[in-house]
Amino acid sequence: MARCLTLARTRHSEGAVTVPRDFAESAGFRSDLVIGREESFGAAREQLARGGSVLLHGPAGIGKSTVLRTLAAEYARTSHTVLRCSATESESHLPFLALADLLGLVLDDVSQALPAAQRTALESALTGRGESTLQRDGLALRLAVLSALRALAAAGPVLVVADDLQWLDPASAELLGFAARRLGETPVRLLCAVRTEGPETEDAAYDRHLRASPPDTRAVRLGPLTRAQVATLLGERGYAGLHRATVRDIHRTSGGNPLFALELGRALAESPAAPRPGEPLPVPTSLRALVLSRLEMLSDEARRTLLVASAGARPTPALLRAAGRENAEAETAQAAALGLLATDPEGPTVRFAHPLISAALYAEAPAPERRAAHAALSTAASDPIERARHLALATSGTDPEVAARLAEAASLARDRGAPSVAASLGLLAARHTPADSAPGPDERRVAAAEDAITAGEQDLARDIAREVLTRATAPGDRVRAWMVVIEAAGQAIGEVDAVFPQALADAGDDPRLLAQVHYQLAWRSLVVQGDFAQGREEAAHAARLAARGADRRTELLALAFQAQCETLMGHPDAPATIGRALAEPQDPRVACHHNGAGSSRFRWLVMSDRLAEARATATTLLREVRRRGMAESEVHYLRFLAETELHSGHCGRALELARESLTLARDAGIGEGAGAMQAALAEAAGGDPGRALELAREAVRRAEEDGDAVYLSRALAALGHANLVAGDAGAAVRALRRVRELEAGAGITDPARGRWQGDLAEALVRTGKPAEAMDVIEVSRAHALRLGRGSVLAVLDRAEALVRAGRGEHRAAVARLTSARERLAGLGYGLEEARAAFALAELHAERPGRAPGAASYDEATRLFRRCRALPWLERVEAAVAARSAGPSPAPAATPDGLAGLAAMERQVAALVMEGATNREIAARLFVSVKTVEATLTRVYRKLGIRSRVDLVRLAAGGRTD
């Protein structure tokens, strides 16, 4: 049982008092709830687990104290004594105060172990009853602190937790540093946090504190959170449901600082109405106070100059002068001297030291002053988009001329590939549009909603569309708004079923409007009902209606959808329909859209084994959608490229692309299920099989929650594959049997759609069901032969070879595997080629009379290494080790607790028990150090232990508590 001692300060009106408090209260902080700190936690945990010390550093509010408390609570359980201090600026002048916090409660326990001179000096310093000073009792005090820590460590490990080192009184800091540098092998760990402000001073600050720490201390920097992490943090703390655009503003204003982000989220939650486009976020008083005191030191003229800078997008001294701030250089220099502005070595831009300074300055300014700043910038800015935005923010009420300029600026932003900016400008245009204008305010709002969809801001688009539907009467505006509501639902289209009858009623008999509704009905047939035939019919009907209504955009989308259905169904008309969808005239946005003809052609190329053309097509489309700022399409094309690279055997590249796609999907809240599915396949091929299983299960869960029949089968196929790679053939069979049932019910006959048939057949063989495996192979082969799917046929032959080997038909199995490998190599399927070589090696190794050894696996190892297929390399290594080692050791040689671990986890645990470092384990298993760290984390969790030491004790049959 750890003895946890600490002192915490509480404030009362008469001053500060010190009271004891059980440190175990911090156990409520769980590391898995500290958002965005996984890498920092991993580094700190690894260091603490091997008995080292950690110094956390970063700016104020970045989360150092939260991380410190979480780690301290975790490692307090393995420490006999925990000492803690938390310094404050107001008390940093009091000598020995931090030392009293650390050692005050244990003085009686250690005093008898100290020589008399040391004991006297330490008691005098801690109690204040003498006149101890560093000048008079320096050596005795230094040695006393070192001796006290050694005495405590003699009874068991000691953890010293010190927060806000920058406020430690100098005497305590000197004594603690002296002892820390001399502890040597004494089991005393320091876990400290220090505030470092700005890159200019950060290195020097933590270097100074590192010199006062044990020699093995690891400095761990806590940096700003990403936008996705800020969104997660806000959701965890009860500020969910914010628009993506609002979260983006919070992230920008907070600079990724979690404390600032939470304060801004709280202010938004307490605000009676959300800010409109162009309006500042409500900055709470708690944050304004951080910067306003320094703003008060500015002259009035300098403050006005900074207000103009805060209103501008990319302010420069030249822009400020053009906006009427004649002394801009001198006034910005004054602000820089106060730490309000930061010098920019890359150019002349006037940059605030922190975005919060700009936000607080703008929020504090009266509305007339803000409008005056925007009015000045509306003539000074050179960019037409910026001029229009500033004109709008300087104008009150409706103004047709201002509205027209804003609409033109929105169109320009759209062409520049900035749909989010276009949406914001479109809303400003609607606000300034008189009700009787043509186009009217609702038409401009719908256009803004469509831009928001393009930008991946579905929540904003949905809210705009619903606002339009509350008052719009024009059928065109209403149907377009209904389409936005449906588009914003994404894969969860079944949740908006009630929209379709209303949209059809608003469309009347207008073929142009009806075409838009039937196009979305085609999606509903596919996603909700899983009916490809019905989806194809609806799409064809929509294409005909759109042609009658001269709506080329909807016609092209409908033809592309029809082509996708026909391709996946194995319909013979697919190439002709793709040709119709690619015919001129084209709509540039549809041509590169992820549901456009380019996407359909990509899918057809992949399924036809034309991988090089598919890669070139996806690369071109990705470049174009990035140029246009089409967020959702970018997510999908990154995923498409990852799929192509995976087929080609470029597993490392596929993993990078899949992770990038999933990150963007999570950031935008779009396509997360599909992203998780592809990332699972990439992880299973080139990353972490455990992570692959997690992602595949997430993809299945999302598809089931959304009622998405299309991606449910794809997600289950990924889950089956991940289970097969992880060595669980039974789970693979269960998942892949469901895929077979779903695709049969949906009318999907092309085996190249999901390429799961070979995995199912292999898993069935491994679970003793060769007859069912042959049924899968024969049914799939018939379709593959009809459609000319060469790679699928080769994979099916590889699977059949396993069936034949099980029957004892060794020569026929070798012939099929050899042929399959050659054909897969010729088609460019590197990973599948390597799998065939591995199966061939296994087959040769199992021949009667063959001596065990690694030689037969050399070619499989070479091919998997060329693909960077790390999980498969682990399987080859395990196979070689199993055959080279001969009979397995007796079960008694392995702790019972390891029986519940997966194969990879058992390998890592065994190597740790042998004393191997993480780097040595990574080299032995052909994996990355991060994979080893992640695997160890799972091992610790499953075994209920906390460190490598516990694992070694487990191997020795000892206690771990």
Side-chain angles (χ1 to χ4, degrees), residues 483-726:
M483 296 306 98
V484 168
V485 172
I486 294 170
E487 286 278 357
Q491 296 301 117
I493 193 172
E495 296 179 1
V496 293
D497 264 355
V499 165
F500 288 100
Q502 300 176 73
L504 286 169
D506 283 331
D509 57 1
D510 186 331
R512 188 182 183 91
L513 300 179
L514 284 170
Q516 297 177 45
V517 182
H518 281 279
Y519 170 68
Q520 294 296 348
L521 281 169
W523 276 106
R524 185 191 177 281
S525 298
L526 190 63
V527 174
V528 179
Q529 299 172 292
D531 191 333
F532 278 71
Q534 178 64 28
R536 174 178 176 269
E537 290 178 12
E538 285 283 5
H541 182 46
R544 289 191 295 269
L545 287 168
R548 280 172 48 199
D551 181 357
R552 184 61 173 163
R553 180 181 184 278
T554 302
E555 182 185 8
L556 290 170
L557 285 169
L559 287 170
F561 184 94
Q562 181 183 343
Q564 286 268 32
C565 288
E566 291 172 350
T567 299
L568 298 175
M569 293 168 65
H571 197 286
D573 290 348
T577 307
I578 291 174
R580 291 172 61 200
L582 289 170
E584 295 295 338
Q586 283 289 316
D587 181 310
R589 291 184 174 277
V590 174
C592 64
H593 193 276
H594 62 278
N595 288 327
S599 175
S600 299
R601 183 170 183 273
F602 164 83
R603 179 58 52 204
W604 182 79
L605 288 168
V606 168
M607 294 173 69
S608 302
D609 298 329
R610 295 162 66 172
L611 296 182
E613 291 177 75
R615 181 186 296 107
T617 297
T619 301
T620 300
L621 291 167
L622 176 62
R623 187 183 303 117
E624 181 63 13
V625 298
R626 279 177 166 166
R627 187 184 73 80
R628 293 179 176 275
M630 299 168 69
E632 186 173 5
S633 292
E634 180 180 358
V635 168
H636 285 283
Y637 285 131
L638 282 168
R639 181 167 58 81
F640 291 174
L641 266 180
E643 178 185 351
T644 308
E645 298 296 354
L646 204 54
H647 289 322
S648 302
H650 306 150
C651 299
R653 178 60 177 154
L655 189 58
E656 292 173 5
L657 290 163
R659 286 174 174 171
E660 184 180 358
S661 175
L662 182 57
T663 298
L664 287 176
R666 295 203 194 287
D667 188 16
I670 50 178
E672 294 181 72
M677 176 272 296
Q678 189 61 52
L681 292 171
E683 290 284 355
D688 178 1
R691 177 64 176 152
L693 285 168
E694 292 173 9
L695 287 165
R697 291 185 186 115
E698 177 192 342
V700 171
R701 174 180 55 78
R702 287 184 180 276
E704 289 176 336
E705 289 175 352
D706 291 343
D708 184 352
V710 174
Y711 271 108
L712 178 57
S713 62
R714 298 290 303 276
L716 285 166
L719 179 59
H721 179 75
N723 274 305
L724 186 64
V725 174

Side-chain angles (χ1 to χ4, degrees), residues 39 46 652 655-656 659 682-683 685-691 865 868-874 904 907-908 911-912 917-938 948:
E39 187 173 344
E46 178 71 18
L655 189 58
E656 292 173 5
R659 286 174 174 171
E683 290 284 355
D688 178 1
R691 177 64 176 152
R865 186 174 287 119
R868 289 183 59 190
L870 300 182
W872 288 100
L873 279 170
E874 293 165 14
M904 175 67 170
Q907 291 181 63
V908 172
L911 290 170
V912 169
T917 66
N918 286 2
R919 191 169 296 281
E920 290 168 343
I921 295 170
R924 289 272 296 275
L925 299 181
F926 297 95
V927 298
S928 67
V929 174
K930 285 190 175 181
T931 298
V932 174
E933 292 170 350
T935 304
L936 270 177
T937 299
R938 294 196 300 275
R948 301 169 74 93

